[in-house]
Structure formats: structure tokens, C-alpha cells
Amino acid sequence: MILVRAAAKRKGIKAKDAKGLIPLMIIMVMIFLMFLFWENELYEETMLSTMENLHVDYPRSDFPIRYCNRMILQRFIKEPDNTCKKEHVFIHERPRKINSVCTSPQKVACPNHSTILCFQSETRFKMTVCKLIEGIRYPSCRYHVSPTEGFILVGCDDMGPINVQRYIA
């Protein structure tokens, strides 16, 4: 407060005029923070839907206890209607290796009959399969952890993998 008065005296501003600026400054800071969080929320929604965020965990996160429960909560993995996913796969391979699946000669029909093409990996991938054992509504979902190796079937577009259709153990 002493600094404000000293600065006000030097510039010829009365202390009571400086006090009137404080509410305006508070409002401006609040508006700035609102825009900042709004922008982050939009970015978060975009990031949440990417294949890398949903399915890639390389190198594997070091959660020795309740790996699936922690990962699914941390990455906001759920069905569009906020119910628990019955099964989810985390792939523990480099994104570059996963991207290369889209150039595999093993082209197959996508299980969901979509217009995108599906490709099966030629090599086995390290992954963790999370199977729902308890809960209906997110975030009250509990999963069983099954580390495994298997082939993956991914949907691809011109940019690369879009989603994991399924895994083949």
C-alpha cells in the first residue's frame, strides 16, 4: 500500500484514484483466468480423443498397484454416456511402431463396418488389457489388469492410426 501511495504521489495521482483501479484490475485478472481455463479445456477435449492419449503408454507407466484404475482415471477413458468401458487396451510400444501398422499388407475389414481401413500388425505388441470388474458409471470403475502380448487391429486414415479396433492375443 505504501508503494502505491509513493507511486501515486510521484505521478500526481491521488491515492483514492488508485484505489478505484483495484476492482477493475481484479475483474481483468478474473477474465484472463477464465479465458486461460476455457482454452485449456478445449485443448484437453481434443487431446483426450487422440489415439495416442487413449491407447499408448510408452514406456509403461510405473503404477505397480491398480495400473488400469489409475490410467483410466488419469486419461478420462469412458463411454460417451459416462458409463465405464467394459474393456480397454494400453499399448506399450513406441508411437512410431504403432504408426507403421497402417502400412501393413494385412488389410482387413473393420469390425464396426466403418468407411476407414483397418490393418493388423505383423508383429506382436506389448500391452495391458483392462477388463471391467466393478462399477457402471465413470469414475466408479474398477478393472482387472492383464499384461499380454498380441497383434493389434487399428483403423487408419491418411494421417495414420485413428483407433484400436481390437487386439488378438
Side-chain angles (χ1 to χ4, degrees):
M1 198 63 170
I2 294 172
L3 292 176
V4 171
R5 286 185 184 152
K9 282 182 182 179
R10 274 186 263 139
K11 294 186 178 182
I13 300 172
K14 296 180 183 174
K16 69 177 186 176
D17 292 338
K19 286 182 185 176
L21 292 176
I22 293 174
L24 180 62
M25 290 172 42
I26 291 172
I27 290 171
M28 289 175 60
V29 168
M30 288 173 56
I31 290 171
F32 171 76
L33 290 173
M34 213 168 57
F35 279 124
L36 181 68
F37 289 123
W38 184 44
E39 181 180 320
N40 284 344
E41 189 175 302
L42 292 174
Y43 174 75
E44 189 174 280
E45 284 178 17
T46 304
M47 285 303 296
L48 293 178
S49 64
T50 65
M51 176 160 156
E52 191 164 339
N53 183 66
L54 292 175
H55 293 285
V56 180
D57 182 32
Y58 180 81
R60 187 182 189 278
S61 297
D62 189 24
F63 301 136
I65 299 171
R66 300 193 250 319
Y67 171 84
C68 287
N69 296 341
R70 293 229 9 223
M71 289 296 292
I72 285 173
L73 279 174
Q74 187 179 64
R75 297 192 182 191
F76 304 102
I77 296 169
K78 58 189 172 185
E79 295 292 350
D81 63 355
N82 282 332
T83 57
C84 303
K85 285 195 79 172
K86 299 212 182 316
E87 184 175 88
H88 192 78
V89 176
F90 290 104
I91 303 167
H92 310 300
E93 298 286 351
R94 293 181 187 277
R96 182 176 49 235
K97 186 174 178 185
I98 297 167
N99 290 345
S100 72
V101 174
C102 292
T103 61
S104 168
Q106 297 193 25
K107 232 185 263 189
V108 295
C110 284
N112 64 2
H113 309 293
S114 72
T115 57
I116 61 171
L117 295 173
C118 283
F119 297 85
Q120 182 178 318
S121 63
E122 297 180 75
T123 59
R124 295 169 92 60
F125 283 61
K126 292 177 185 167
M127 62 185 97
T128 299
V129 178
C130 303
K131 291 189 179 186
L132 184 66
I133 55 174
E134 183 183 320
I136 296 169
R137 306 279 301 159
Y138 181 87
S140 301
C141 314
R142 301 292 169 257
Y143 291 87
H144 176 352
V145 179
S146 297
T148 189
E149 285 191 20
F151 301 97
I152 58 172
L153 184 68
V154 296
C156 299
D157 67 8
D158 295 338
M159 301 295 290
I162 301 170
N163 57 32
V164 174
Q165 294 282 325
R166 70 171 190 242
Y167 69 97
I168 301 128

